[in-house]
Amino acid sequence: MKNEKITGWLLIAGAAGVFIPYTLLTMIFEYPDILRQETGIILTKFHEGGSRLVWTWLAFALAGIPLIPAYILIGQKLENKSGLVRTATTIGVIGLIVQMVGLLRWTFVVPVLADTYTHATDEATKSAAIIAFKTIHQFAGVILGEHLGQLFTIYGTVLLSATLAKLKLVPKWITWLVIPVHSFTCWHRPNCWLRLFRFPGLGFGRIYREYALAGMADHYWNQVRQTQKSS
């Protein structure tokens, strides 16, 4: 029973933890709309944000950490009941780690580039900083974060929700909710190749996805409690 409670709280913490830093980024950095601006504008605005912005990015990158042990605990608890659980949780953990690595560029790489750009006295140095930013953004942002990380997270969550519904640990409506949720998640990402339409704004796809995780945690926890009581 103790592990079930821990799993539930970890899922809720991971789902809720992303809201605060993400909201702050939309307010102080105009994220994600800022990514559609010229690179020079991005670097200048980042430098103006100072250490507060760097710490906010760090919090945003690490907000999903509670989900990693939660997925592992779910896999350990249910792997004997369904072979897909271990696969789903493994894919989910990979997705979380890959996205975390991609986001950490804003904490460890971009501050150096922003400082170099804003204090440069010649155009050659500014151009070098811009090229370096575009390169790291294309690799860590587009490839890792918006493609591999999103794909692993999407498939892992879909498999996990479907398995939990099959085991009757969560209602089936949560499984059906996950599909459009992850569609929105891809659509609002500026560079996601799965996107069919641009869905700009406050990152509704990410927010709805976290609500789905919170809903999964709530129903999973309640079902386990009912099972414990009946036994």
Side-chain angles (χ1 to χ4, degrees):
M1 183 63 180
K2 183 179 179 180
N3 285 341
E4 283 76 5
K5 284 187 176 181
I6 293 175
T7 303
W9 280 116
L10 287 172
L11 285 171
I12 294 172
V18 71
F19 288 113
I20 296 177
Y22 186 88
T23 302
L24 289 174
L25 287 174
T26 63
M27 296 171 59
I28 65 179
F29 192 54
E30 299 178 12
Y31 178 80
D33 295 337
I34 187 67
L35 298 181
R36 303 187 184 99
Q37 301 294 328
E38 295 292 333
T39 303
I41 297 176
I42 298 174
L43 293 174
T44 300
K45 191 171 183 63
F46 188 94
H47 185 266
E48 292 173 352
S51 60
R52 181 182 66 165
L53 181 57
V54 175
W55 281 105
T56 303
W57 272 110
L58 179 61
F60 186 48
L62 301 181
I65 285 182
L67 296 176
I68 296 177
Y71 285 172
I72 294 174
L73 288 173
I74 291 176
Q76 293 175 347
K77 180 69 177 180
L78 302 176
E79 62 181 344
N80 293 330
K81 297 181 180 180
S82 175
L84 282 178
V85 172
R86 178 60 68 180
T87 301
T89 54
T90 301
I91 292 175
V93 168
I94 293 174
L96 289 168
I97 294 176
V98 169
Q99 290 190 73
M100 188 185 305
V101 172
L103 287 172
L104 285 174
R105 75 188 186 278
W106 292 99
T107 302
F108 297 105
V109 180
V110 177
V112 177
L113 298 178
D115 185 72
T116 301
Y117 178 84
T118 54
H119 291 96
T121 57
D122 58 279
E123 291 300 321
T125 303
K126 287 188 174 182
S127 297
I130 290 175
I131 293 173
F133 176 85
K134 288 182 177 180
T135 302
I136 192 65
H137 179 69
Q138 194 70 18
F139 173 72
V142 178
I143 296 177
L144 294 184
E146 297 182 355
H147 286 77
L148 294 179
Q150 288 290 339
L151 285 174
F152 277 108
T153 301
I154 288 171
Y155 295 144
T157 306
V158 169
L159 283 176
L160 181 59
S161 61
T163 303
L164 292 178
K166 184 178 180 180
L167 296 175
K168 297 182 179 180
L169 292 175
V170 297
K172 289 185 177 181
W173 66 265
I174 289 184
T175 304
W176 291 108
L177 176 65
V178 167
I179 297 175
V181 160
H182 284 293
S183 297
F184 279 119
T185 301
C186 276
W187 290 348
H188 95 281
R189 306 297 291 184
N191 298 299
C192 184
W193 61 269
L194 289 177
R195 172 179 55 85
L196 298 179
F197 304 98
R198 175 166 290 178
F199 195 72
L202 299 178
F204 292 114
R206 178 183 295 273
I207 293 173
Y208 292 153
R209 183 182 70 197
E210 304 307 330
Y211 269 126
L213 285 174
M216 249 198 287
D218 179 66
H219 286 282
Y220 171 71
W221 190 359
N222 289 335
Q223 184 67 32
V224 170
R225 290 175 62 184
Q226 292 176 7
T227 304
Q228 293 288 339
K229 288 180 181 180
S230 61
S231 59

